Amino acid sequence: MKLTIGFLYGRLMNIYGDRGNVVTLAQRARWRGIDVETVTINAGDELDPERCDVYVFGGGQDREQFVVADDLAAGTGERLTAAVADGAVVLSVCGGYQLLGHYYRPHGHDELRGLGLIDAHTIAGDTRFIGNITLHGPLGDLVGFENHSGCTYLGSGALPLGTVAQGSGNNGEDGTEGAYTGKVYGTYMHGPVLPKNPALADRILTEALERRHGPVTLPPLEDTFEARAHESARSRP
Ligand code: GLN
């Protein structure tokens, strides 16, 4: 069995350790004897909708988002959308998450058009939300770290990852954090998010493998360290 991971805009969108999500998915697959290939897709590269099973789309500052939004509009967005329609999985974080919604409106700038893969929109606010997040939701209790000024508002087509018990989440108002629609996930949790949330990592890994291999049941891993990291993050003020 083989897994191919696409690191979207790896040079531009990799803030606060988000590349660690690529490393986590690759390692949790290799620990199960699965062959892994990792591909970095940068601005100007041609994304092959057939090649990758899962894409990691990290965060970045507004200036990086301007470049990425242009590249998405120049064709990469259509190809990523085609990959998703064919069963590829996407984990997007913060700036990447914002560009998978309908639009992101930065301060003093016109809206950056998003892909609409997540039914949400984002407007830059006056508060920068910085700190630890803990949330409870249908995918379990999750922990992470946020640093964003964008306020994301979900439409009816998107389910939140959960409700924040600590932190601001999507917008600091409605208590939601993140979103998912089918196999497209968005979150404000940097850190990276997956090492401290092994159940979420394995959910994404399973869905990615199922694109080409049909139903997959991953054997459990010895997650003592991951659980300790999760509890340590959860207990932070
Ligand atoms: N520029 C966006 C914001 O500030 C995203 C930042 C990020 O990816 N951490 O909301």
Side-chain angles (χ1 to χ4, degrees), residues 16 59-62 65 94-95 98 104 128 147-150 190:
Y16 310 126
Q61 300 307 326
D62 286 4
Q65 289 176 283
C94 205
Q98 294 170 345
Y104 167 49
R128 178 156 285 273
N147 185 331
H148 60 102
S149 65
H190 291 285

Side-chain angles (χ1 to χ4, degrees), residues 38-149:
T38 301
V39 180
T40 298
I41 300 141
N42 291 304
D45 293 346
E46 174 144 342
L47 185 152
D48 174 358
E50 290 298 316
R51 184 168 186 188
C52 297
D53 304 303
V54 55
Y55 294 89
V56 173
F57 191 179
Q61 300 307 326
D62 286 4
R63 62 177 176 272
E64 285 96 7
Q65 289 176 283
F66 295 153
V67 175
V68 169
D70 286 346
D71 191 74
L72 288 170
T76 300
E78 282 178 22
R79 288 189 280 273
L80 179 63
T81 300
V84 168
D86 190 49
V89 181
V90 184
L91 170 66
S92 61
V93 183
C94 205
Y97 169 32
Q98 294 170 345
L99 292 175
L100 291 193
H102 300 298
Y103 64 84
Y104 167 49
R105 189 189 302 154
H107 280 295
H109 198 279
D110 295 338
E111 291 171 358
L112 301 179
R113 188 160 57 91
L115 302 188
L117 290 174
I118 295 178
D119 182 13
H121 67 275
T122 303
I123 299 169
D126 297 327
T127 304
R128 178 156 285 273
F129 302 119
I130 300 175
N132 295 306
I133 293 183
T134 56
L135 70 91
H136 310 301
L139 308 188
D141 290 353
L142 303 172
V143 295
F145 173 82
E146 64 184 327
N147 185 331
H148 60 102
S149 65

Side-chain angles (χ1 to χ4, degrees), residues 2 11 28 47 52-53 63-64 71-72 93 99 106 116 168 171 190 194 205 208 210-211 225-226:
K2 179 179 177 181
R11 276 204 292 265
R28 293 185 73 83
L47 185 152
C52 297
D53 304 303
R63 62 177 176 272
E64 285 96 7
D71 191 74
L72 288 170
V93 183
L99 292 175
S168 303
N171 49 51
H190 291 285
L194 293 184
L205 184 54
E210 286 179 341
R211 177 185 186 185
F225 287 115
E226 291 79 359

